Amino acid sequence: MGVVLDLIERIGRVPTGGTATVRLVGANRIAGLDLVTAWCASSGNEIVSVEGLTVTVLHGRSPDPLAGLDPAQLPGSRVWVYTNFDCNLACDYCCVRSSPKAERRAIGAERLQQIASEAAAAGVGELILTGGEPFLLNDLDALVNSCTDELPTTLLTNGMLFRGTRLERLRRMDRSRLTLQVSVDSATPGIHDSHRGNGSWAKAVDGIRIAHDEGFRVKVAATLPADQMHELDPFHDFLDTIGISREDQVIRALAHRGVADSGIELTVDSLIPEVTITADGVYWHPVAADHEDQFVTRDIFPLADAIAEITRRFVAHRRAADRAAEWFPCA
C-alpha cells in the first residue's frame, strides 16, 4: 500500500490535468502496478506511462477524443479498400503512385468478401472501394456485389472505361446499394487534363452521363491545390448542369503524398483515421495507403481487432497532444 499512499500524497499537490510520478520500489513490480491501476480506476485518475519502476499518473482523466466526433467520423464508421493499384492513368498528384506501370497488388475476391462480411458484423456503415482504377479488374462486378450484398458501397473510378465488357460489368452491379464516385477536377478540360492526361476530362464526363443513364447515383470528386480554389464556383455550376447534386460534389485538397510534389501535409497526428485496407495490410487513412508512416498492421482479420487498434492509437495520439498543449501552451 505504500506506493498508493505516496501517489495519493503527490497527486494532491498537483492541479487537475497535472501529473505525478511514483516509483515501485520495495515491492513486487507487478503487484505494485496492479495496486496503482486499481486505485486510478476507483479514484478517477489515469496512468499516463510506465517506464521501468516509474509510473506517471494524470490527475483526473483525459477527455475522450471520440466524444467530440460526429458519428460519421468515428474510426470504423466506414472502411476503405484498395481493390488494386494499377491504373490506366498516371496522374501527377496520385497519393498512392498508381499508373499503368504500377504493380496490381489486388485485394482479391476471397479477402474482399471476408472484409465485407466482417465489416457488417463490426457495425461498419459503408464500404468504399478505390484504386488504382478498379474497372481494370476482370471480376469487378463480382467484387462489388460481394460488398453491396453486405453494406452500402461507394466505388471510386476515373469514369473512362464504361464501354464493351466493362460496361456490361457495370450493368451487373446493384444500383440500389452502389454509388459511383467519378474524379473530375475542373469545369473545363484544361486543369483536369493537365494533371490526368489529354482527353481524360471529356471521357470522364461521358462516363458520368453513361452512369446516370444506367441508373446509378453519381458523386463527383475534385482534387484541387490551394491556388486553384478560385475555380470552385464555376466548377459547382458545371456539375449542376450535368445532374450532380450539391451534396454529391466533393472537393479534396491536394495532399503532399505519393508522386505529388506539393500540397498539404497529412500525418497521423493531423488526420482523423479512416480504416483503410490494401493487399499489404491496414493503414490509418486512404491518402497514405502506400506509406509506411501510416501503416498499422499486416493483420486484416479479425477486422474488428484492426478497427479497435486504430481507435486505440487515435485516442492515445489525441490525449498525448492534449497533454503536450497543457504543458507547452502557445505563446
Side-chain angles (χ1 to χ4, degrees):
M1 286 294 294
V3 66
V4 171
L5 293 174
D6 286 347
L7 183 55
I8 291 171
E9 190 265 334
R10 293 179 189 187
I11 278 286
R13 297 178 184 174
V14 299
T16 301
T19 60
T21 61
V22 291
R23 286 182 59 79
L24 305 174
V25 293
N28 179 280
R29 178 182 182 278
I30 295 176
L33 184 56
D34 286 346
L35 282 172
V36 173
T37 301
W39 179 81
C40 286
S42 64
S43 63
N45 297 292
E46 180 180 328
I47 293 177
V48 174
S49 66
V50 180
E51 298 181 8
L53 295 175
T54 301
V55 182
T56 301
V57 173
L58 177 72
H59 188 177
R61 292 195 187 278
S62 302
D64 182 1
L66 301 177
L69 295 182
D70 183 282
Q73 293 180 303
L74 291 172
S77 60
R78 58 184 187 173
V79 168
W80 290 72
V81 181
Y82 274 78
T83 59
N84 61 301
F85 283 85
D86 54 324
C87 187
N88 56 311
L89 297 178
C91 303
D92 64 9
Y93 51 61
C94 182
C95 63
V96 292
R97 309 179 183 96
S98 290
S99 76
K101 296 181 180 179
E103 183 183 354
R104 172 153 290 183
R105 292 157 59 197
I107 194 71
E110 185 176 342
R111 261 190 304 196
L112 185 55
Q113 187 170 31
Q114 185 174 352
I115 289 168
S117 176
E118 293 196 16
V124 173
E126 179 188 12
L127 293 172
I128 304 175
L129 306 182
T130 187
E133 172 48 54
F135 274 89
L136 292 179
L137 300 173
N138 292 331
D139 59 348
L140 183 62
D141 52 335
L143 295 175
V144 169
N145 289 335
S146 71
C147 293
T148 55
D149 284 348
E150 299 285 352
L151 288 166
T153 302
T154 296
L155 176 62
L156 276 60
T157 174
N158 56 44
M160 297 173 61
L161 302 177
F162 300 161
R163 60 184 182 275
T165 57
R166 293 186 176 112
L167 178 56
E168 292 304 314
R169 291 188 194 106
L170 175 64
R171 287 171 173 162
R172 289 193 288 268
M173 297 177 192
D174 186 349
R175 291 155 181 78
S176 69
R177 301 270 282 179
L178 179 68
T179 298
L180 297 173
Q181 182 169 303
V182 179
S183 300
V184 178
D185 293 336
S186 53
T188 55
I191 292 174
H192 180 103
D193 286 3
S194 70
H195 295 293
R196 299 179 181 269
N198 291 335
S200 59
W201 183 90
K203 291 178 180 178
V205 173
D206 283 345
I208 292 169
R209 295 192 176 105
I210 291 169
H212 272 153
D213 289 345
E214 293 296 331
F216 288 93
R217 177 185 175 186
V218 180
K219 294 183 178 181
V220 169
T223 300
L224 291 179
D227 63 359
Q228 290 175 5
M229 288 301 174
H230 63 280
E231 300 285 341
L232 280 181
D233 287 342
F235 182 62
H236 286 307
D237 292 342
F238 164 70
L239 294 182
D240 292 342
T241 68
I242 60 171
I244 306 299
S245 67
R246 286 293 172 115
E247 68 176 347
D248 288 338
Q249 299 177 18
V250 181
I251 308 300
R252 302 176 297 203
L254 176 64
H256 190 197
R257 286 278 169 174
V259 296
D261 57 11
S262 63
I264 61 175
E265 301 294 339
L266 297 176
T267 67
V268 167
D269 291 326
S270 65
L271 285 167
I272 296 174
E274 295 204 32
V275 179
T276 301
I277 301 170
T278 78
D280 301 313
V282 182
Y283 287 79
W284 189 262
H285 196 278
V287 77
D290 196 36
H291 295 77
E292 284 298 318
D293 67 305
Q294 296 196 27
F295 179 74
V296 177
T297 177
R298 298 202 181 279
D299 297 325
I300 299 172
F301 307 114
L303 180 58
D305 288 357
I307 294 171
E309 175 60 16
I310 286 181
T311 302
R312 184 195 67 78
R313 294 191 189 190
F314 172 66
V315 169
H317 276 289
R318 285 300 170 94
R319 285 179 170 170
D322 288 345
R323 287 193 292 270
E326 289 171 1
W327 283 103
F328 303 103
C330 295

